[in-house]
Structures are given as structure tokens and as C-alpha cells.
């Protein structure tokens, strides 16, 4: 058995490394390129049947054949920046399309390309999920997210072969996930020793009943990260030093043999956003508040967090009022409202989202210890929220609510009668890059109308209301045959977005929308 890294100076023996032969893999690729375009098939369980498509090579954007299979893009958000791509819903059909990739960003470096279809977010297949839910999943995964994507032309071929309802996204099997394990040193140290092969490939040998085993590290696990830092390029001495510097406790990202094998078969990276938490020292908390006669009983304040970036913090938690009874603590940082991340939002927009919940509010928070921990491992606390689901929005979308509390007469389920007329609105993108509303299309009557308005967003501040009819977009009348083409170009158009609107029909939406005739569209892209 190898020497114990956790405090011992004994050298760890070298293990014979398991190495693939890249030249053989490339030869297999070349042998099959002639039949790739139309003959590959997707397996709903493992994603693909053609062995050429399951090779676990890094994506090479200059290799055209690497686009013929699902690709995995592990994106990291740099401080104060986005992941670097814009996402929109495919107009007229289900699908989530990368419509722009910003140069010099994580998205570009990881090979994300314009036109790619998003199949999965982390280990969640999202092909058939609502667009707003997909955006919420990506934002909730910040600062790191693993996207499964497919090139547009390959996606179209697969859909033609298998139908619109087929599942194209390869995912790991139930219970097969990397683990984030927090280990506290005891009299036996951390309870593992390390063997290694080539640079950056380390495996753990556990002591029976030791601290690592109790923390959930599986037998034969491969070590991927130490305290949020990848060991991929570490030497053995660097790893030993890193573990020693951890002191009395350390957080490891590890993958058991079964996880390694499945990821190898799928070509999926052993990525941290796939991980499940084991014996973590702290977790996010979900608070459900029911407004009382004296309010909720807390103050929301914007200030700099542990990482120096602005955040929304909860203070002045009054004893005996709903916030305190729900478990809120002074100094908690607000992570999400109704399950939707508020990272990067300004103070006013965050307040608007809370107010839009009405008298029942669901907040996800972290205390300073949890904030420090998740910042260290560079993972979103929302990935480790257990047994808590955000309340569904009134119309089943990803938005917290469609009701704006500033206008108590507006209700999304009962549209009041308003005299017809027209007005002009100019909109600028919000902090997330979107305009904050969705369109629906009908075959007869007014062609386009507002079907959803995000509380606190650009559209809400400009006065857009659910049911408003679109008459003109940037000076062009709608209702023509080229509406779809024009709408597809709007995400790339320079702001402001100028709309001419007619007020809601005095007969209500139901008067001119035949049952089943509504087609929901997302107008603008979201910067992610």
C-alpha cells in the first residue's frame, strides 16, 4: 500500500497508468468519416451507438468530424463576467439555440459555436424543457456549468431520423455521479493514500473505517480536485503540498470507477458541476415566508461579499416576525428567489422579484460559512439544495411570477377590459442581456401578443403587460409572412428595441385566441 499523504513523509509508489492511444483513436475516426453525416444513431441510454462518436477526446474546433457527435463544453465564469454566449429559443418549435458566442470568453475557448443546440445542462437533459427553465438551470449553476451541445446540421439529421420526441442527450445513469466529499482529519489522518500514473492522474487508496471512507469517498476513486483546484496538471509533490496546506479538513472532488467508465464511454468530462455532495460541512437553506401584518421582518441590503463582488444580504431580522420564524439569520446572503438565481442582479430588480411573490415568498440563502465554502470549491450552492423545489409559476414557466405587485389590478389569469389604443415603448436589455418578456403567436386575430413579463425586468419597467398586442417592431408592422424571420434577427439588433403596442382586447384574450392555436416564442436572447 502507498504511503499516507495526509501527514506522512513516506513516498507513494507509482501505479501503472491506464493510457489510451490517441493515434489509434484518430485512425478509427478517419476510417468512419465517410458515413458519419447521415448514418450515426443515438442511443437514449448512452447517447450514441457508433463507436466513433463515443471517443473521449477533447473537442477540437478545427476538426469538422468532432462536430458530428454530442460535445461537452465545461464553462467557467470569470469574475464580473458572463459565460460568454447568448441563448434563444428556437422560434416556432422546441429547442434552445446558441445564437452568439462572444470572442475571448470561456464559451469560445471551450468550443461552443453559433447554431449549437443545447441538449443538456450538467446531468439534466433539457431538450424538451421550457426555455425559461433552461436559462434558470444555467444561471443557477454559475460559476461553472457543463453544457451538452450538438451542431445544428447534426441535430436536424437526428430529428429527421428519430422524430421530435426522441431524446438525444447522453446522461450518466442513476446514482452514477462524481462526489464532492468533505473530510475532517482524525487520529488516522485523512484516511487515504495516493497512487498515481502519468501527471495529473491520481487514485485514492482508502484506510478501512478512516475519515475519507466515512466522508463518502468510494473505493478506487480518482482524485479530480482539492478545495476547488484541479489536480490535472499537478505533480505528486504539488499534490502533497496542497493536502498539507489544507490543515485539518479538505474537500475533494472524486470519481469512482463506475463514474470513470461511463464518462469514458460517453466522452463526458469528469466535471465538478456533475457532482453530488457527501458529508458537506454546510448547505444552502430554503426559507418559506408568509407575510404578516407587520411585513416579513427583514431588510435587504446590497454590499460587497467575501469575493469582493456586490451581493444582496439580509439584515435587521426582527424577532417574532415571519423571517426569523422561517430561520433567516442576519448576514445571510440571498442566492435565489422562487428558485431563480439572483446572481448579478441589482438591488432594485432583486427587490422587485421578491415583491412579485406577493404575500408568500420562497428564498434560498447561505450563511457566511456556506458562502465561504461554495466560493472555495467554485460551485453554486443551488446545485446542492436538497429536497426543495421552487413553487411553480402561475403559468408553469421558469419565471417567478407573472403578477406585478406595483399594479394590483393586473392578474395573469383574469385579464380586465381596457380600452383599445396604441403606445410606443423603448426597451434596453437588462443585466442578463434579455428584455424580460415572451411572445405568443396565434393563427388568427392579432398575430403576436405579450404572454409573459418578468417582474423587475426591462419590459416590466417599460410598462408592458400580459396580453398587449404587438403592432410594430423597430418600425416594421407585424402580421406579415416574414414575422418569424424578423423576430429571429432581433436578439442581434442594436438596442433599444422599439415596440408599438395595442392595449388588451376588451373581450379578453380568450375572445380571439382559438383553443390550441397559441404558439409560444421567446423574443430575445439571454446573455449567459
Amino acid at each position: 500500500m502507498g504511503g499516507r499523504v495526509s501527514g506522512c513523509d513516506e513516498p507513494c509508489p507509482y501505479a501503472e497508468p491506464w493510457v489510451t492511444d490517441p493515434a489509434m483513436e484518430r485512425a478509427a475516426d478517419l476510417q468512419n468519416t465517410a458515413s458519419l453525416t447521415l448514418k450515426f444513431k443515438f442511443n437514449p441510454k448512452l447517447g450514441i451507438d457508433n463507436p466513433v462518436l463515443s471517443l473521449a477526446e477533447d473537442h477540437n474546433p478545427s476538426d469538422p468530424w468532432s462536430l458530428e457527435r454530442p460535445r461537452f463544453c465545461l464553462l467557467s465564469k470569470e469574475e464580473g463576467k458572463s459565460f460568454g454566449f447568448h441563448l434563444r429559443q428556437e422560434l416556432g418549435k422546441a429547442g434552445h439555440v446558441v445564437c452568439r458566442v462572444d470572442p475571448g470568453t470561456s464559451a469560445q475557448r471551450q468550443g461552443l459555436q453559433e447554431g449549437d443546440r443545447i441538449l443538456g445542462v450538467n446531468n439534466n437533459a433539457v431538450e424538451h424543457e421550457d426555455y425559461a427553465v433552461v436559462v434558470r438551470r444555467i444561471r443557477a449553476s454559475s460559476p461553472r456549468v457543463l453544457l451538452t451541445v450538438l451542431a445544428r446540421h447534426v441535430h436536424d439529421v437526428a430529428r429527421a431520423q428519430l422524430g421530435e420526441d426522441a431524446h438525444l442527450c447522453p446522461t450518466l445513469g442513476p446514482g452514477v455521479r462524481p462526489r464532492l466529499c468533505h473530510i475532517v482529519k482524525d487520529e488516522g489522518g485523512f484516511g487515504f493514500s495516493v497512487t498515481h500514473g502519468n501527471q495529473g492522474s491520481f487514485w485514492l487508496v482508502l484506510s478501512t473505517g478512516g475519515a475519507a471512507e466515512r466522508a463518502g469517498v468510494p473505493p478506487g476513486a480518482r482524485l479530480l480536485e482539492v478545495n476547488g483546484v484541479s489536480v490535472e496538471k499537478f505533480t505528486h509533490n504539488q499534490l502533497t503540498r496542497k493536502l498539507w496546506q489544507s490543515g485539518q479538513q479538505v474537500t475533494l472532488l472524486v470519481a469512482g470507477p463506475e463514474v470513470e467508465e461511463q464518462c469514458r464511454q460517453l466522452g463526458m468530462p469528469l466535471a465538478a458541476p456533475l457532482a453530488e455532495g457527501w458529508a458537506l460541512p454546510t448547505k444552502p437553506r430554503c426559507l418559506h415566508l408568509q407575510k404578516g401584518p407587520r411585513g416579513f421582518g427583514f431588510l435587504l441590503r446590497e454590499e460587497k461579499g467575501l469575493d469582493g463582488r456586490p451581493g444582496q444580504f439580509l439584515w435587521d431580522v426582527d424577532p417574532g416576525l415571519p423571517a426569523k420564524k422561517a430561520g433567516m439569520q442576519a448576514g445571510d446572503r440571498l442566492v435565489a428567489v422562487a428558485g431563480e438565481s439572483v446572481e448579478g442582479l441589482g438591488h432594485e430588480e432583486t427587490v422587485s422579484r421578491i415583491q412579485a411573490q406577493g404575500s408568500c415568498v420562497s428564498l434560498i440563502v447561505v450563511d457566511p460559512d456556506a458562502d465561504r465554502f461554495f466560493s472555495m470549491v467554485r460551485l453554486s450552492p443551488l446545485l446542492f439544495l436538497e429536497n426543495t423545489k421552487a413553487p411553480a409559476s402561475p403559468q408553469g414557466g421558469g419565471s417567478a411570477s407573472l403578477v406585478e405587485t406595483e399594479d394590483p389590478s393586473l392578474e395573469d389569469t383574469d385579464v380586465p377590459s381596457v380600452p383599445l389604443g396604441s403606445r410606443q415603448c423603448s426597451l434596453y436589455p437588462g443585466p442578463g442581456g434579455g428584455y424580460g418578456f415572451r411572445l405568443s403567436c396565434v393563427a388568427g386575430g392579432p398575430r403576436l401578443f405579450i404572454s409573459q413579463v418578468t417582474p423587475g425586468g426591462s419590459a416590466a419597467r417599460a410598462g408592458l403587460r400580459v396580453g398587449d398586442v404587438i403592432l410594430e417592431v423597430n418600425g416594421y408592422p407585424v402580421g406579415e409572412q416574414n414575422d418569424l424571420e424578423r423576430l429571429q434577427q432581433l436578439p442581434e439588433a442594436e438596442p433599444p428595441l422599439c415596440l408599438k403596442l395595442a392595449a388588451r382586447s376588451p373581450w379578453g384574450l380568450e375572445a380571439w385566441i382559438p383553443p390550441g392555436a397559441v404558439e409560444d416564442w421567446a423574443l430575445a436572447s439571454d446573455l449567459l
Side-chain angles (χ1 to χ4, degrees):
M1 182 174 292
R4 192 175 302 282
V5 171
S6 53
C8 245
D9 293 330
E10 300 174 11
C12 294
Y14 284 85
E16 191 68 29
W18 176 80
V19 183
T20 58
D21 185 346
M24 292 179 62
E25 291 182 345
R26 283 193 292 271
D29 264 343
L30 292 173
Q31 184 179 357
N32 289 276
T33 51
S35 60
L36 274 177
T37 305
L38 294 176
K39 292 185 179 180
F40 72 87
K41 295 182 179 180
F42 286 80
N43 183 304
K45 184 177 181 181
L46 294 179
I48 36 190
D49 286 332
N50 190 328
V52 176
L53 306 183
S54 62
L55 298 177
E57 288 187 328
D58 291 336
H59 166 61
N60 180 1
S62 64
D63 176 11
W65 301 112
S66 68
L67 301 179
E68 301 293 344
R69 58 181 179 267
R71 311 189 321 274
F72 299 93
C73 300
L74 180 58
L75 310 184
S76 298
K77 184 178 289 187
E78 300 173 6
E79 184 175 346
K81 297 183 180 179
S82 67
F83 289 122
F85 71 97
H86 297 248
L87 188 70
R88 65 170 173 82
Q89 185 174 9
E90 193 167 11
L91 299 182
K93 64 175 81 171
H96 316 294
V97 184
V98 176
C99 59
R100 190 167 79 194
V101 177
D102 295 332
T105 62
S106 178
Q108 185 192 48
R109 290 191 296 271
Q110 294 303 313
L112 199 64
Q113 299 190 7
E114 183 176 333
D116 280 344
R117 266 52 176 176
I118 304 291
L119 303 182
V121 177
N122 299 330
N123 199 43
N124 302 293
V126 300
E127 306 160 77
H128 303 293
E129 285 192 344
D130 184 81
Y131 173 80
V133 175
V134 177
V135 170
R136 184 171 65 187
R137 284 190 185 278
I138 296 173
R139 287 178 174 160
S141 185
S142 178
R144 291 192 279 178
V145 65
L146 180 67
L147 300 180
T148 307
V149 303
L150 195 60
R152 178 176 182 173
H153 65 285
V154 184
H155 181 271
D156 292 344
V157 170
R159 284 281 175 242
Q161 287 181 344
L162 303 176
E164 291 295 326
D165 295 331
H167 293 274
L168 308 181
C169 182
T171 56
L172 296 175
V176 182
R177 305 266 295 280
R179 295 182 182 181
L180 190 68
C181 302
H182 185 75
I183 308 171
V184 180
K185 187 182 290 187
D186 60 16
E187 62 277 2
F190 286 130
F192 64 84
S193 58
V194 175
T195 61
H196 64 103
N198 54 331
Q199 186 179 30
S201 297
F202 300 98
W203 287 267
L204 304 183
V205 179
L206 305 184
S207 300
T208 304
E213 186 177 80
R214 296 196 305 273
V217 177
R222 180 172 175 175
L223 179 61
L224 306 173
E225 293 185 2
V226 176
N227 293 338
V229 178
S230 172
V231 301
E232 181 182 5
K233 297 182 179 180
F234 273 24
T235 64
H236 180 263
N237 288 337
Q238 288 173 324
L239 174 60
T240 302
R241 189 180 308 115
K242 182 69 175 177
L243 291 169
W244 179 80
Q245 291 172 346
S246 298
Q248 296 300 307
Q249 49 189 346
V250 67
T251 303
L252 305 182
L253 178 68
V254 297
E258 186 180 3
V259 179
E260 269 202 277
E261 177 59 20
Q262 277 208 24
C263 284
R264 188 193 68 80
Q265 291 179 8
L266 299 175
M268 181 183 292
L270 293 165
L274 298 173
E276 54 185 352
W278 283 68
L280 299 185
T282 184
K283 296 177 182 178
R285 312 189 321 273
C286 189
L287 312 179
H288 301 285
L289 285 67
Q290 177 73 44
K291 192 173 185 178
R294 296 170 56 192
F296 291 114
F298 71 92
L299 176 68
L300 184 70
R301 184 186 304 160
E302 182 175 289
E303 54 189 56
K304 287 187 177 181
L306 298 171
D307 55 3
R309 291 184 294 175
Q312 307 301 321
F313 290 83
L314 307 170
W315 296 101
D316 297 347
V317 182
D318 296 328
L321 293 188
K324 186 68 175 180
K325 291 179 179 179
M328 185 181 293
Q329 301 172 14
D332 282 344
R333 182 170 70 89
L334 181 62
V335 176
V337 176
E340 188 167 356
S341 173
V342 296
E343 182 193 5
L345 297 185
H347 183 70
E348 290 185 3
E349 186 166 356
T350 305
V351 171
S352 295
R353 293 195 178 193
I354 295 174
Q355 291 176 337
Q357 295 299 297
S359 60
C360 296
V361 175
S362 174
L363 307 177
I364 299 175
V365 303
V366 290
D367 61 31
D369 287 340
D371 203 6
R372 192 174 296 108
F373 173 78
F374 289 108
S375 178
M376 176 190 71
V377 298
R378 298 187 302 124
L379 289 171
S380 168
L382 295 176
L383 298 178
F384 301 92
L385 187 68
E386 296 181 354
N387 302 320
T388 303
K389 293 184 179 180
S393 66
Q395 293 188 6
S399 170
S401 172
L402 302 184
V403 183
E404 298 177 70
T405 55
E406 294 82 1
D407 183 0
S409 65
L410 175 63
E411 297 183 5
D412 58 308
T413 56
D414 184 13
V415 182
S417 298
V418 178
L420 290 174
S422 65
R423 66 187 190 279
Q424 300 280 348
C425 289
S426 296
L427 284 70
Y428 289 84
Y435 291 98
F437 71 96
R438 293 170 69 87
L439 290 177
S440 286
C441 167
V442 291
R447 183 169 175 77
L448 296 174
F449 68 94
I450 305 295
S451 59
Q452 180 175 320
V453 178
T454 302
S458 175
R461 293 193 296 271
L464 269 69
R465 298 288 185 267
V466 173
D468 283 346
V469 178
I470 306 292
L471 301 178
E472 292 182 2
V473 177
N474 289 342
Y476 293 96
V478 299
E480 305 296 334
Q481 294 298 319
N482 60 349
D483 283 349
L484 180 61
E485 180 180 351
R486 184 171 297 131
L487 288 170
Q488 288 175 321
Q489 297 170 354
L490 286 179
E492 287 76 38
E494 289 294 325
L497 176 65
C498 300
L499 302 178
K500 184 176 182 180
L501 306 169
R504 290 177 293 276
S505 163
W507 301 282
L509 298 179
E510 295 81 2
W512 47 267
I513 302 179
V518 178
E519 190 174 4
D520 192 33
W521 290 352
L523 172 69
S525 64
D526 287 272
L527 173 63
L528 297 168

